[in-house]
Amino acid sequence: MRRNLTFQVGGYLAGCATLTLITLFYNREPVFKTTTIVLTYLLAILIASTIWGLGVSLFMTVAATLLCDYYFFLPIGILSIDDPQDWVALISFFVTSVIGSELSARARRQAQESKRQRDEVGRLYEFSQRLLNAQNPGDLLNEIPSRTVELYEASGAALYLSGKQTIHHSGKDLSGLDAAHLKTVQDSGKVETNIELGLCYAPVRLGDQVIGSLGISGSILSTQTLEAIATLIASAIDRMRAIELLSKTEAARESERLKSILLDAIAHDFKTPLTSIKAAATSLLEDLEFNKRQRGELLVVIDEECDRLNRVIGQAIEMAQLDAGEAKLQPTPHFVSELIIAALEDCESLKNARPIHTEVQQEVQINCDLFWTRKVLGHLIRNADLYSSSGEPITIKTTEKDGFIIFHVSDIGPGIERAEIDQIFTKFYRGKSQRHRVPGTGMGLAVAKAIVEAHGGAIGVTSDVGKGSVFTFSLPIVQTPNE
């Protein structure tokens, strides 16, 4: 408001100065014809109309008419005209100046209106892009007021949604954007503008239903712009609701699919050990003439198959805990060798089956939850045993890189095809060529991946078909104060 007043006052002063300079110049040089003088005044008036508008140009028109009469039309020095031709010339000058000023001012207003509309369309487009980039409902509802304040240079904005009975706001000045008035605007369903207080409101309408209202302070927008903003907000909220509903539907569908896969996998993995346990137990119960060694072998079968069942159930429970976020990790400093020894204790039955070599490059402390990380290393060792060729060794090696200790578990076996490497850490996925030869549920690597990533590390595999695979995972090194 103050800036506009200063601009207009400056226009009047500049108009006075321009007329004064023209009058002084032609008054000193009497050789110029009256027509030239009048056209110069007219040119100055049209330029002033283009820059400062109709008010300044009309003021200059009246002043130029009086100056022409006083200084250049006979009798000179008084406001009087004796020659009728001079009257015609002066009136023609006045009318031409007024019409030209009006046309120039109209063109200026149209140009300003076009620019304003172009700016509003550009801002609406940017506003819609910002809303489309919101990732979740919480981000969207907070984004609407903040982007409204930013794009429309407002001092405050508030969004009220009747469904959630909440108000999301942004900006320094929220006076007038109270919940009561926002609810009133929603109930009335009409756009409201208060120029004196610098407030405007618009109902947020989704189809025939008004779902809320938007209030803006410190920036008066046109009714069309307010309605367009409200429509964009309603569309964005409706889109987010649809995405949220689709996500829930997809999550429910995926949950059912995973449950089905899990049940199939567990049922398949239960069948073999239960059959072995049943056969061994039945043989012992039938009181056949077994010697001590034979009875011992049957009891070992029962013991190993029970461990296998327990491992399958344990993996299912661990997977459920990790998915639900119920597994609370408690990382503490442990030496690398401590983790390797703990994992080998869990794989005690494998030590006599094949050689296991360990190569610890550097004995340092790592930050890990020993209960969970020993499961990762233990699973990779058991995996290597299952997929290694008979009699071939398993190698456990460690290296250091970028503040992490990287564990390498190598086997010599059939390897993994390149197309399957990216899928083996997916829940319940099992290699096509090995799924019928080697028992399992496909949960172990997915559990291992979740545990390692929860520690801030990464897990991966490299493989050469026909030669073997190397599984790697990293855990952070404990940093000492001087590091």
Side-chain angles (χ1 to χ4, degrees), residues 433-451:
S433 59
Q434 304 294 328
R435 64 181 58 171
H436 300 298
R437 187 179 70 85
V438 179
T441 60
M443 289 188 293
L445 288 177
V447 171
K449 182 175 185 289
I451 294 171

Side-chain angles (χ1 to χ4, degrees), residues 97-400:
S97 297
V98 171
I99 294 174
S101 297
E102 171 60 26
L103 293 176
S104 179
R106 184 182 300 175
R108 181 170 176 266
R109 288 195 300 270
Q110 289 176 345
Q112 290 177 339
E113 180 65 18
S114 298
K115 183 178 181 300
R116 185 189 65 79
Q117 291 179 353
R118 185 172 65 251
D119 289 343
E120 286 191 355
V121 170
R123 288 177 178 180
L124 285 172
Y125 174 75
E126 187 174 353
F127 186 70
S128 66
Q129 292 300 109
R130 300 282 182 88
L131 296 186
L132 287 174
N133 290 333
Q135 299 298 317
N136 57 63
D139 289 344
L140 173 64
L141 297 178
N142 291 323
E143 190 86 356
I144 290 171
S146 62
R147 295 309 175 196
T148 302
V149 170
E150 178 185 342
L151 292 175
Y152 292 97
E153 300 177 355
S155 56
L159 174 67
Y160 169 74
L161 294 177
S162 58
K164 297 186 177 183
Q165 295 292 315
T166 56
I167 297 179
H168 301 267
H169 51 74
S170 178
K172 298 178 180 179
D173 183 14
L174 299 174
S175 57
L177 303 179
D178 56 284
H181 201 93
L182 289 169
K183 290 178 182 178
T184 302
V185 172
Q186 179 194 329
D187 294 337
S188 66
K190 296 179 181 179
V191 174
E192 293 185 15
T193 301
N194 190 324
I195 298 177
E196 294 180 0
L197 298 177
L199 298 172
C200 50
Y201 304 88
V204 178
R205 196 185 306 276
L206 187 60
D208 295 331
Q209 182 184 5
V210 180
I211 61 173
S213 59
L214 174 71
I216 302 172
S217 65
S219 180
I220 299 298
L221 305 179
S222 66
T223 301
Q224 294 81 1
T225 300
L226 287 170
E227 290 177 345
I229 292 173
T231 301
L232 286 175
I233 292 172
S235 299
I237 292 174
D238 186 49
R239 171 180 168 274
M240 192 58 69
R241 286 177 178 175
I243 292 175
E244 194 175 7
L245 180 60
L246 180 62
S247 298
K248 290 180 180 178
T249 304
E250 287 295 324
R253 187 180 301 155
E254 181 68 9
S255 176
E256 290 299 320
R257 187 183 72 84
L258 291 178
K259 286 178 183 178
S260 177
I261 294 174
L262 177 61
L263 289 173
D264 289 344
I266 291 178
H268 181 271
D269 217 43
F270 271 27
K271 187 174 182 180
T272 301
L274 284 175
T275 301
S276 300
I277 292 170
K278 177 66 175 176
T282 301
S283 298
L284 290 172
L285 289 171
E286 287 180 351
D287 199 20
L288 300 176
E289 295 181 0
F290 293 118
N291 57 36
K292 185 176 181 181
R293 182 184 62 81
Q294 291 172 327
R295 285 197 299 273
E297 290 176 352
L298 291 173
L299 290 172
V300 167
V301 169
I302 293 174
D303 183 63
E304 289 180 349
E305 296 302 331
C306 284
D307 287 343
R308 183 173 161 188
L309 287 174
N310 188 52
R311 192 160 54 249
V312 172
I313 294 171
Q315 286 179 348
I317 294 172
E318 289 163 6
M319 178 70 73
Q321 289 176 332
L322 291 167
D323 282 347
E326 296 176 356
K328 304 300 181 183
L329 301 183
Q330 297 178 337
T332 53
H334 294 280
F335 285 102
V336 171
S337 58
E338 190 179 351
L339 173 57
I340 294 175
I341 291 170
L344 289 174
E345 287 177 356
D346 294 340
C347 304
E348 188 68 32
S349 60
L350 303 182
K351 290 184 178 180
N352 299 326
R354 67 177 71 249
I356 300 178
H357 303 311
T358 58
E359 301 174 15
V360 178
Q361 186 185 72
Q362 187 175 1
E363 184 63 290
V364 296
Q365 284 189 315
I366 51 178
N367 198 35
C368 67
D369 186 317
L370 190 62
F371 174 80
W372 287 100
T373 51
R374 69 192 292 175
K375 293 178 180 293
V376 175
L377 185 54
H379 179 76
L380 296 183
I381 294 171
R382 282 190 291 271
N383 245 26
D385 174 65
L386 287 172
Y387 292 97
S388 289
S389 302
S390 179
E392 296 291 349
I394 297 171
T395 303
I396 304 169
K397 185 171 68 173
T398 64
T399 57
E400 181 182 346

Side-chain angles (χ1 to χ4, degrees), residues 387-389 411-418 420-421 431 433-434 437 461-471:
Y387 292 97
S388 289
S389 302
D411 65 65
I412 300 175
I416 305 169
E417 295 182 8
R418 184 181 298 273
E420 293 186 305
I421 284 182
S433 59
Q434 304 294 328
R437 187 179 70 85
V461 62
T462 58
S463 185
D464 192 352
V465 176
K467 296 182 180 180
S469 304
V470 180
F471 281 84

